[in-house]
Amino acid sequence: MTGVRSLAGDSARPSPKPDVLIAGSGSGGAVLAARLAAGGARVLLLEEGGHYTKDDFTLREDWAFTHLYQDRGNRATADLGFVILQGRSIGGGTTVNWTTSFRTPDRILEHWAKVHGVEGLTAARLGPHWDAIEERLGIHQVGLDHVNRNNGVLYEGAAKLGWQREVTHRNVRGCMKSGYCGMGCPIDAKQSMMITFIPDAIERGAEVWANARVQSLEVAGGRVRRVKVRALDPNTDRPTGLEVEIEPRICVLSCGAINSPALLLRSGLDPNGRLGRRTFIHPVSSTLAIFPDEVRPFYGPPQSVASHQFAVREGRMGFFLEVPPLHPMLAALALTGYGARHREVMAQLPNLQALIALSIDGLLPGDEGGRVSLKAGGGPKVDYPYSEPLRDSFRESMKAMARIQLAAGANAVMTLHSDSIVIKREADLALIDQAPLGPGLNAAFTAHQMGGCAMGADPKQSVVRSDFRHHHVDNLFVVDGSVLPTSLGVNPQETIFGLASFAAGFILKA
Amino acid sequence: MSSQTRRGFLVRGLAGAAVIAAGAVPLGLRKTRLPAVVPTLSFFSAAEYAVFRAVADQLLPGGAGWPPASSLDVAARADALFALADEATQADVRQLLGLFDNALVALLLDGRPTPFTALAPAEQGRALDAWRTSRLVLRRSGFSALRNVAMAIYYADPSTWEGVGYPGPPEIVR
């Protein structure tokens, strides 16, 4: 794609006084940029990550994680209890997204209205936005030909147990089913922001710059006056020394959960102490099964099947089930332990099958999730505690996953406890209740980051209003996953696409 | 952000004033046993390199057709990775490696007055397990940090894929 420039490598400079500056080119910023540019606004879209296209994607985990993920693939909670997989490049998370696309469940939108005072976010109002986005991104329910053996275990196992399961919708056109979505699509089959809404925005006059980190906002008299932007060296991500200042009429943060609240904290904009609070991560537990036949979990589309059988558990934290790909590096990190025993399991990778359970955090009364604050040097620090409802969800989800894997014919199921439990029959499931859970006691992950700039009616409880505008800064909007007042119970990208398209209406009128 | 927060990752969690005092003692790293050859490093000191290398060889000992971590120089690649980390992370890593090989910390927590790098291999395994299974959360986290980096570097390397049974990425007609 032409038209994306690099602040580190270009002698020209971004326009100093755009109508709208958008920080972040992911699922929020890219859709918003296209919509605003189509509405006639002069848009400046800035991305701190690099600009990579299909020919750059080596399909190697070491290259992908260091170039396409936050903190060079090393983002984690402060106590390392959760590995945080979060995208970072032109296109943001959509460059590495596993393509699973769901609209926001009605029950979640209703919860936001009832509990958080969110106004106007209804399926009826968002529907036309989702219709248009699904059309643009080729989002459709795939056929069973997209279901590899890895995903087939969930499809078959859930059916045998009489549990809900479905084939998912994916944002792909001409998918070759290689299974490398998480390392960047090498054939542009995945309809990521990089090949869709970003070119749309550029075509309508938006300026897009990579390697351009929004460092801080200068606010006076209730308005963003100036935005400080640093050029980052594409090879090291260190500041090159070049700094530019932009004076936009409107400033929009689309840096994603974790980074948007961190930027506002760096800018000293936290009058009510709500920034970074209500950070939700769909905490991921997992079980690995060994099958008698080859699964080849490294090939074939990820997450082509989902089960929401346990999404609603009255008074308890719910969870939903999907299937990740297993390439060597990710498998090695997921498997606990080390030495000869770890290696013996790794040697069976072709016969391994993985399920993940994503716990639906933020819906129970009192569940505030985690918190983003600042580290020395200004980077985000993420804390996410294990609550009792989360431990319960992890235990019950591990049992559910093991049941599915055994029902589908697994020889044995391994938990990711630091001392892994091996489950061969129903009676073994009780062992899960006795195993401790917490940082360093079990492997856990997040690939969905939400909240931290929560939307809501009460400024003492939230950061932005229902029109995405900051409660206290008039020309500042936040349009990304950080505004979600709770987690979603489904993969978040399509929710964020829809919200961004919807938010464009407010910003064009501002 | 206060320096206490920055230093907090390990020191605060290694409960007990005695241990914190030990962390402040001019480091037991002076007794670190160095490997015969230390490559040019951009982040680690020679002693820190030696500690990481010894830990990585315990985590990934090789054998039966598998290369040991040291033959892929996992420690040198970790050095390159940490060289590009943010400064708070870099400070944590230095502190962690220092504590790992600090004889006084080892004496106080595990009852052995010997730096990790000076232990026999079997004893190194027991020392690693003491970190892995510690009741102190930040000691377990320290183990996870070293383990995850070493594992990621090792298994991303194509020379380990045959053992894993991973044929590698498909040929792409672009």
Side-chain angles (χ1 to χ4, degrees), chain A residues 142-439:
Chain A
V142 294
L144 283 171
D145 59 318
H146 282 245
V147 177
N148 62 1
R149 173 78 180 124
N150 196 22
N151 281 270
V153 166
L154 175 54
Y155 197 72
E156 258 177 53
K160 283 194 178 153
L161 295 163
W163 292 352
Q164 187 274 343
R165 91 293 201 236
E166 66 201 280
V167 178
T168 57
H169 290 63
R170 305 183 62 217
N171 59 320
V172 294
R173 284 193 175 96
C175 174
M176 69 180 280
K177 309 185 190 105
S178 70
Y180 289 77
C181 306
M183 304 182 212
C185 181
I187 58 166
D188 280 350
K190 175 163 62 183
Q191 302 297 294
S192 71
M193 296 299 99
M194 179 183 74
I195 63 162
T196 56
F197 284 104
I198 291 174
D200 290 356
I202 290 172
E203 196 178 304
R204 289 169 177 81
E207 264 181 53
V208 184
W209 294 78
N211 310 116
R213 170 184 287 164
V214 173
Q215 187 62 27
S216 59
L217 315 178
E218 206 179 296
V219 174
R223 291 184 67 80
V224 175
R225 304 288 169 178
R226 227 167 266 110
V227 176
K228 293 199 163 125
V229 182
R230 283 184 185 167
L232 300 184
D233 183 312
N235 296 314
T236 64
D237 281 323
R238 299 283 199 233
T240 64
L242 171 67
E243 209 170 290
V244 295
E245 293 193 345
I246 311 291
E247 296 180 16
R249 193 167 66 75
I250 293 170
C251 179
V252 183
L253 301 193
S254 301
C255 313
I258 301 178
N259 288 348
S260 277
L263 171 52
L264 290 175
L265 285 167
R266 283 204 298 276
S267 308
L269 286 174
D270 192 20
N272 296 315
R274 293 308 300 167
L275 267 178
R277 306 272 182 178
R278 298 196 71 77
T279 290
F280 301 110
I281 62 173
H282 277 164
V284 172
S285 58
S286 179
T287 56
L288 297 184
I290 300 182
F291 276 78
D293 53 316
E294 281 209 346
V295 175
R296 289 162 71 90
F298 28 76
Y299 297 143
Q303 293 183 170
S304 59
V305 176
S307 169
H308 287 78
Q309 176 71 25
F310 301 100
V312 179
R313 299 195 304 144
E314 205 47 48
R316 299 164 85 180
M317 191 179 286
F319 56 86
F320 62 108
L321 303 170
E322 290 180 341
V323 178
L326 279 181
H327 296 99
M329 188 181 104
L330 200 58
L333 292 180
L335 279 170
T336 47
Y338 64 94
R341 186 159 169 246
H342 183 275
R343 191 182 65 202
E344 279 158 25
V345 182
M346 284 300 292
Q348 300 176 70
L349 184 64
N351 291 51
L352 289 185
Q353 191 276 336
L355 290 178
I356 49 175
L358 300 90
S359 289
I360 305 171
D361 47 348
L363 293 173
L364 292 174
D367 182 4
E368 289 273 303
R371 185 184 177 188
V372 173
S373 56
L374 295 181
K375 294 199 270 199
K381 172 174 180 274
V382 185
D383 290 292
Y384 196 95
Y386 269 84
S387 63
E388 209 32 62
L390 177 61
R391 287 196 171 94
D392 169 63
S393 178
F394 266 32
R395 284 189 293 264
E396 294 309 313
S397 64
M398 287 180 210
K399 292 177 201 168
M401 291 188 284
R403 285 191 173 109
I404 289 169
Q405 287 163 322
L406 291 176
N411 287 342
V413 176
M414 296 169 293
T415 67
L416 305 192
H417 294 96
S418 146
D419 289 309
S420 181
I421 297 169
V422 178
I423 296 158
K424 293 187 171 168
R425 59 191 68 81
E426 178 75 19
D428 298 336
L429 293 174
L431 296 169
I432 289 172
D433 289 327
Q434 282 128 51
L437 290 168

